[in-house]
Amino acid sequence: PSSAMRSYALLKPEIKAIYMQFYKATYGKSVLDDKTKEFVAIAASLALGCKGCTEGHLKKAKKDGATQDEVSEVIAITLGVSAAAIVDRSDIANFHLGGLFEKDA
């Protein structure tokens, strides 16, 4: 997104307030420490393609003590799960097409 863009510009203020309350609650006291939460957020941001989210959560992870090796591992795991999801979706599509591209026995 452009730095000139206003985030949440198209949301009604009351919906934005509800969202922000929920978002802040996810960063409240819980069983996960803040660094772990940022690792989850980085993975989700990458998987969902949110550039601004990824950048923000990388900054927060660094602030929370994340190392480059840790972030690299989070990215590798996200890459592996994302690749598996593509294989899964293609397998399901092929199955629903009656094994259109099954190997000959």
Side-chain angles (χ1 to χ4, degrees):
S2 165
S3 60
M5 284 176 31
R6 280 189 329 118
S7 192
Y8 311 101
L10 299 177
L11 285 182
K12 290 182 178 183
E14 60 271 21
I15 300 299
K16 179 181 174 185
I18 292 167
Y19 167 76
M20 294 308 290
Q21 182 181 6
F22 171 76
Y23 184 83
K24 288 176 184 174
T26 65
Y27 278 87
K29 188 90 169 132
S30 74
V31 297
L32 296 178
D33 62 85
D34 288 344
K35 186 168 75 167
T36 301
K37 289 180 184 182
E38 290 309 326
F39 291 158
V40 172
I42 290 166
S45 299
L46 288 168
L48 294 170
C50 182
K51 179 183 178 288
C53 301
T54 302
E55 291 175 0
H57 290 295
L58 284 169
K59 288 177 186 177
K60 287 180 181 179
K62 176 88 172 178
K63 184 178 106 340
D64 289 335
T67 66
Q68 184 172 342
D69 285 344
E70 289 172 323
V71 171
S72 180
E73 189 167 339
V74 168
I75 292 168
I77 292 166
T78 306
L79 179 62
V81 172
S82 297
I86 291 170
V87 171
D88 183 61
R89 288 191 304 259
S90 62
D91 286 346
I92 290 168
N94 189 53
F95 174 81
H96 285 282
L97 292 171
L100 187 62
F101 290 100
E102 292 292 323
K103 292 180 181 175
D104 293 331

